[in-house]
Amino acid sequence: MAKIKGVLLDLSGTLYSGSDRIEGTRRCLAELERRAIPYRFLTNTTTQSRARIVQKLASLGVVTKEEWILTPMAAACERFRADGFASAALFVAEEAKEDFSEIPEDRAHPDVVILGDLGREFDYDTLNQAFRLIADGAAFYALARNRCFESGGELFLDMGPFVEALAYASRKEPVCLGKPSKAFFENAVAELDVPAESVAVVGDDLESDVLGAMHNKLIGILVQTGKFNRDQLDQMEQKPDAVIESIAVLPELLSSS
């Protein structure tokens, strides 16, 4: 691999699992700071605001700045302004809504439907309401498109299957704002102020984190924690630039690069 000069770190499944910090996380971050390697947290988490994520990290002994948490919500607000929209129907978790405070909400005649992870609130009536708005002409933003996520050693459906259902029913392809979208990675790299080809993306999602990074000319590093799946890795024609046991091994990889 090329010399790594910047790092983008996934959160769930990479730095923590559920309410437990993955061993080696704090040592890894301390090593990045010691080497003066800039890093940011690049997450597809859409159930919590950036402020809540910072609080969660602090509860796990990881202290960071709110502006270092790069989320699809911030990307959605930026895209909303760029598209010149006036209102949105927000189908997002209540804890994430504070990151949309600048967007006027309209569930009757919105310019765009913004879909996040609603968890157990993904019921028929909710999906049908979103479908009707999209079918009636509203644009469609999907904050992420992940298939599943891991928490506490178990796998759960992520929002991707519900995005696919709405896309199929409405015949409208959504604008995906989280990983692996090109714009999301480009904005994150700009935060680091180092050449893109020297930036490593570290995560447990082979498709969104790792291959998504590599398709955008970044370095993709897969951790064998979280939702890591050996069978999926073996079946993929394209392989990660590196596969490591956990975040604890990243400092060794930095030395070898």
Side-chain angles (χ1 to χ4, degrees):
M1 293 190 299
K3 183 173 178 59
I4 296 173
K5 297 180 180 178
V7 177
L8 298 172
L9 296 161
D10 178 45
L11 291 176
S12 179
T14 302
L15 302 190
Y16 57 75
S17 173
S19 58
D20 298 321
R21 185 181 70 242
I22 291 176
E23 185 178 356
T25 291
R26 291 198 297 180
R27 290 196 303 273
C28 178
L29 297 179
E31 185 64 14
L32 289 173
E33 291 171 3
R34 188 187 72 81
R35 294 170 182 252
I37 295 176
Y39 65 90
R40 295 290 187 274
F41 303 104
L42 190 65
T43 177
N44 271 4
T45 296
T46 66
T47 56
Q48 297 176 305
S49 66
R50 291 202 296 179
R52 295 293 182 95
I53 294 172
V54 168
Q55 291 173 5
K56 179 180 177 73
L57 288 173
S59 73
L60 298 175
V62 176
V63 179
T64 190
K65 304 173 185 177
E66 188 173 319
E67 60 266 30
W68 283 19
I69 310 290
L70 309 180
T71 70
M73 286 83 83
C77 291
E78 184 176 333
R79 180 62 185 256
F80 181 87
R81 290 191 297 269
D83 285 340
F85 292 147
S87 65
L90 299 175
F91 290 85
V92 301
E94 283 299 320
E95 288 190 0
K97 280 192 174 181
E98 62 187 86
D99 282 356
F100 291 104
S101 59
E102 65 185 73
I103 294 181
E105 186 167 9
D106 180 359
R107 283 283 184 113
H109 304 287
D111 292 325
V112 58
V113 167
I114 301 179
L115 185 70
D117 185 2
L118 292 169
R120 295 183 183 277
E121 294 180 31
F122 271 129
D123 56 28
Y124 178 83
D125 289 339
T126 300
L127 286 169
N128 199 47
Q129 184 182 8
F131 160 69
R132 286 176 174 173
L133 293 173
I134 296 168
D136 283 345
F140 183 14
Y141 290 176
L143 296 183
R145 214 167 181 167
N146 298 63
R147 301 174 192 270
C148 63
F149 67 93
E150 180 272 344
S151 180
E154 294 185 310
L155 290 179
F156 297 84
L157 276 178
D158 211 324
M159 61 177 289
F162 303 101
V163 173
E164 294 300 319
L166 288 176
Y168 177 80
S170 67
R171 302 177 188 270
K172 185 176 290 185
E173 188 66 16
V175 174
C176 184
L177 294 158
K179 296 174 288 185
S181 76
K182 182 178 180 180
F184 199 43
F185 281 121
E186 286 179 342
N187 289 339
V189 169
E191 289 272 326
L192 302 178
D193 195 27
V194 297
E197 63 272 13
S198 67
V199 173
V201 177
V202 185
D204 68 322
D205 190 310
L206 178 58
E207 293 177 300
S208 294
D209 295 337
V210 180
L211 298 184
M214 294 170 66
H215 292 162
N216 286 284
K217 311 302 181 186
L218 310 178
I219 300 166
I221 300 174
L222 182 66
V223 292
Q224 298 180 63
T225 52
K227 60 184 174 185
F228 169 78
N229 185 300
R230 172 62 64 181
D231 290 338
Q232 182 191 24
L233 176 61
D234 291 341
Q235 291 165 11
M236 283 289 185
E237 183 175 341
Q238 184 178 14
K239 304 300 183 185
D241 290 311
V243 180
I244 59 178
E245 183 177 351
S246 73
I247 192 69
V249 184
L250 185 60
E252 297 176 22
L253 194 64
L254 296 174
S255 298
S256 65
S257 75

